[in-house]
Amino acid sequence: LHNWTDVHAETILRRLASAMAPGARLLVFEKLLPEEPGSAATAMVDLLMLGMLEGHDRTADEYQLLLTKSGFDVTAARPSTSDSAEGVVEATVRGN
């Protein structure tokens, strides 16, 4: 999802939610940015993403907002414990 703008990522997630049964679980494996704004790591990643792709990396809170707007309830977010691993955001499809 980090390759896409918020609008495109929301479209992708809405389509996923509509194809999944209520209560089905989605795991999003992404590098979760630190919540504190302005860190050097965040700035560098944002610059690289801006130059190479239309999207951007996000914090766990930003993924939660994106997922919630797209029909999911976030049940957990676990940042990576190392630089070489992805974090995971767990969400379930909201019932109709």
Side-chain angles (χ1 to χ4, degrees), residues 4-37:
W4 303 101
T5 63
D6 288 348
V7 171
H8 286 110
E10 189 175 334
T11 299
I12 292 166
L13 290 168
R14 282 185 189 277
R15 288 183 182 165
L16 281 171
S18 70
M20 298 168 70
R25 186 170 54 157
L26 175 72
L27 299 175
V28 177
F29 291 92
E30 292 280 5
K31 186 72 167 179
L32 301 177
L33 293 178
E35 295 296 336
E36 62 275 353

Side-chain angles (χ1 to χ4, degrees), residues 33-45:
L33 293 178
E35 295 296 336
E36 62 275 353
S39 72
T42 302
M44 181 56 72
V45 169

Side-chain angles (χ1 to χ4, degrees), residues 62-92:
E62 290 170 326
Y63 274 110
Q64 179 169 351
L65 179 61
L66 194 60
L67 287 156
T68 300
K69 288 172 48 177
S70 302
F72 290 89
D73 292 320
V74 174
T75 56
R78 295 176 195 90
S80 171
T81 56
S82 76
D83 288 339
S84 62
E86 301 290 323
V88 63
V89 179
E90 180 180 343
T92 56

